[in-house]
Amino acid sequence: MLSEIIQIFEDKSQFLQLLLIGDESETMVGKYIDRGALYVGFIDDRAVAVCMTTYESETVIEVKNLAVLPEWQRKGIGKQMLSHIEKINAGKTIILGMGETPSTLRFYRSCGYIFSHKIPNFFTDNYPSPIIEEGVQLKDMLYLTKQV
Ligand SMILES: CC(C)(COP(=O)(O)OP(=O)(O)OC[C@H]1O[C@@H](n2cnc3c(N)ncnc32)[C@H](O)[C@@H]1OP(=O)(O)O)[C@@H](O)C(=O)NCCC(=O)NCCS
């Protein structure tokens, strides 16, 4: 379990390596890193997880990036990061976009997120090279949502 989750205001790019686990395109990360709120999860003094959210409207917050270091995955840390974000944004709607990666979908479903809508060809149109995850090339962006 995380010892603490801290919001980072200065020099957010020091956590770029972690952000690139959640979103492999540095160009795409660059589009939201300045306006996004960055939360970093620590175990002792080591940063092991990140989450970036953006303010979309008074009632809607988008999770742009959520990542846990590979060796710390599947220990409840992703869920802990997300419930921290949900607590901070109580009363709002959280949305997030993701590729059709089965394990990620299972993770968000287990956290109570449900399908909202799809943006066809998002990954093939917006990323410079194909993204293959779990043997599947990402094509459409799925939007999931949860009232928190
Ligand atoms: C997706 C991610 C954030 C999940 O974080 P995590 O700490 O590994 O997940 P948790 O341990 O909190 O998982 C909670 C539940 O989600 C489900 N789940 C998580 N990872 C799963 C997987 N690979 N396969 C199936 N179910 C999974 C399980 O139900 C799990 O509970 P359980 O372990 O008791 O069965 C993390 O694996 C990750 O960083 N992946 C790479 C980056 C990424 O894809 N980010 C998401 C897109 S922004």
Side-chain angles (χ1 to χ4, degrees):
M1 277 287 139
L2 296 168
S3 20
E4 56 180 349
I5 300 173
I6 296 175
Q7 184 173 359
I8 306 291
F9 296 95
E10 309 268 317
D11 190 18
K12 296 180 211 169
S13 57
Q14 65 182 298
F15 297 102
L16 187 62
Q17 287 314 312
L18 271 164
L19 290 165
L20 290 174
I21 296 172
D23 185 342
E24 68 175 52
S25 162
E26 199 169 333
T27 311
M28 295 301 276
V29 172
K31 290 186 180 175
Y32 55 76
I33 194 167
D34 289 336
R35 74 181 178 108
L38 173 63
Y39 302 89
V40 178
F42 291 86
I43 291 182
D44 302 326
D45 286 335
R46 186 165 182 219
V48 299
V50 286
C51 186
M52 275 208 105
T53 60
T54 53
Y55 172 97
E56 299 299 321
S57 76
E58 246 168 65
T59 53
V60 178
I61 295 292
E62 180 166 348
V63 172
K64 291 283 191 189
N65 195 314
L66 174 64
V68 176
L69 278 181
E71 62 268 37
W72 290 97
Q73 288 174 10
R74 231 38 221 276
K75 297 181 195 309
I77 290 174
K79 204 168 221 174
Q80 199 184 339
M81 291 296 288
L82 215 43
S83 51
H84 182 73
I85 299 305
E86 292 169 3
K87 224 174 284 167
I88 291 172
N89 293 294
K92 298 186 182 173
T93 300
I94 299 203
I95 59 166
L96 60 93
M98 53 164 287
E100 283 173 291
T101 313
S103 63
T104 313
L105 201 51
R106 275 200 291 275
F107 166 73
Y108 284 118
R109 287 220 169 105
S110 87
C111 295
Y113 288 74
I114 56 168
F115 176 78
S116 161
H117 62 281
K118 202 182 241 200
I119 302 183
N121 305 319
F122 178 86
F123 288 97
T124 38
D125 289 350
N126 288 285
Y127 282 73
S129 47
I131 306 180
I132 316 281
E133 278 186 3
E134 294 169 21
V136 182
Q137 184 184 346
L138 303 190
K139 186 170 151 283
D140 303 336
M141 172 89 98
L142 297 187
Y143 269 90
L144 305 182
T145 180
K146 182 178 177 182
Q147 313 276 133
V148 296

